[in-house]
Amino acid sequence: MARLTSDQARVLGALIVAVALHLTGTALIEGYSSEFSMRAMLVLGSLLAIASIGQTLVVIIGGIDLSIPFVIGFANVVTAQLYGGGMNFALVCAIVVGLACAIGALNGLISSSLKLHPLIVTLGIGTIVQGSVLLWTGGFPSGSAPESITEFVSIGGSVGFLPVPWLVPCFVALAAIVTVALARTAYGRRLFALGSNPRAAPLALINPVAMWTATFALSAAFAAVTGILLLGFTGSAYGEVGQPYLFQTIAAVVIGGTALVGGRGSYLGTVAGALVLTEINTLLIGIGLQPSLVQAVLGVVIVVLVSFYGRDAHVRTTI
């Protein structure tokens, strides 16, 4: 029988924690495992996991992206404004994702070419993006999403005989694509190689600046997709809709076994981490905690989990 690798063991561990949390919620809270509750957790977990795709890629390469919540809010508001102004929705999505890619590429380019820590760069760029959106809308965004997007993410939606909205099976397909891309493509191999040993990577003809630029652009693109989906989920534009994703994306990545020092991890682990966080949040709300207290407790849990999982030595010290 093959022995599990450390990464596989952490993915399995996160899944076990998610199951344990669900069983605890079922035992403590009436209706916790009801069909509506399960639908809601699958939708919320999928949204968090999509937002965490880019964070996974960025952390593997040895960086971190704090601009994700700002890009989510940017995409949410700009999509609503442009679509509300009569522009074709497909064109709106292309413009928003394209602009997000440019924002992300700028993050990666500045961080890698100027040797600046991405934490500072992404936070600064994200703040500029948020301020620009506020100036454009005057702090009062308008507009909405088309009915098709609302139905796509609706908790009450279904796909044939499956009692879940289209978001869930589409996310499963997306997760499979990301997992295969990391494991089987040249981009995935270069991502891990650069994260494992940034100094040796150029000797293998890996361009660090190009990789960082492309990876941060992908991170912003998935954040923008999350912002568009959240517009359909909430029904109205809100510039700070992405704020809960600031540390939750990082926590999902780390809980799933991706090392903050780079060079090791998997997206399946991130999906498991997103499930854990969704279960924790639902459980805290279910036992009657006030929203502010839920945020405080969730923050403590995230800090503890990240402290526990995030102290690994860099992969290059183990080979």
Side-chain angles (χ1 to χ4, degrees):
M1 183 176 178
R3 186 175 181 178
L4 293 177
T5 65
S6 60
D7 288 345
Q8 292 172 335
R10 287 196 171 183
V11 174
L12 180 60
L15 289 173
I16 291 173
V17 171
V19 171
L21 286 168
H22 189 78
L23 293 175
T24 301
T26 302
L28 295 177
I29 303 167
E30 183 180 356
Y32 189 89
S33 294
S34 66
E35 181 180 334
F36 179 82
S37 179
M38 294 293 290
R39 285 169 177 256
M41 283 189 279
L42 284 173
V43 169
L44 293 174
S46 296
L47 289 170
L48 174 56
I50 292 171
S52 301
I53 293 175
Q55 195 71 269
T56 304
L57 303 178
V58 167
V59 170
I60 288 174
I61 208 174
I64 195 167
D65 191 353
L66 298 190
S67 69
I68 286 176
F70 302 107
V71 175
I72 289 174
F74 158 83
N76 187 272
V77 171
V78 174
T79 299
Q81 292 278 140
L82 294 182
Y83 178 72
M87 189 177 293
N88 177 270
F89 184 70
L91 178 59
V92 169
C93 290
I95 292 174
V96 169
V97 174
L99 290 174
C101 285
I103 294 169
L106 184 61
N107 280 328
L109 181 63
I110 294 175
S111 299
S112 57
S113 62
L114 299 182
K115 307 299 181 184
L116 298 176
H117 199 289
L119 186 150
I120 302 299
V121 175
T122 57
L123 184 60
I125 295 295
T127 303
I128 292 172
V129 169
Q130 184 183 49
S132 299
V133 171
L134 287 173
L135 286 174
W136 182 41
T137 63
F140 298 97
S142 60
S144 60
E147 188 66 25
S148 59
I149 293 298
T150 301
E151 293 177 355
F152 184 81
V153 300
S154 173
I155 294 175
S158 61
V159 181
F161 65 91
L162 295 176
V164 291
W166 273 103
L167 171 66
V168 177
C170 287
F171 163 68
V172 172
L174 178 61
I177 292 171
V178 173
T179 301
V180 171
L182 284 175
R184 302 294 182 183
T185 66
Y187 170 77
R189 290 190 290 271
R190 290 175 180 176
L191 195 74
F192 282 103
L194 183 57
S196 299
N197 199 326
R199 292 186 178 181
L203 300 178
L205 303 182
I206 297 174
N207 186 327
V209 174
M211 284 296 295
W212 274 63
T213 301
T215 301
F216 275 85
L218 284 172
S219 178
F222 285 114
V225 170
T226 305
I228 294 171
L229 293 174
L230 283 170
L231 178 62
F233 184 74
T234 62
S236 60
Y238 179 48
E240 296 187 1
V241 69
Q243 290 308 308
Y245 293 89
L246 177 57
F247 290 112
Q248 286 194 34
T249 55
I250 300 172
V253 167
V254 177
I255 291 169
T258 298
L260 284 176
V261 289
R264 185 174 68 247
S266 72
Y267 181 60
L268 286 181
T270 297
V271 174
L275 289 175
V276 169
L277 290 173
T278 302
E279 292 280 1
I280 291 174
N281 196 49
T282 305
L283 181 59
L284 293 175
I285 293 174
I287 62 178
L289 296 186
Q290 296 295 322
S292 56
L293 188 55
V294 169
Q295 290 299 315
V297 174
L298 190 60
V300 171
V301 171
I302 290 173
V303 170
V304 171
L305 291 172
V306 171
S307 298
F308 180 74
Y309 282 112
R311 297 178 296 167
D312 293 337
H314 197 281
V315 66
R316 66 172 175 263
T317 66
T318 64
I319 57 177

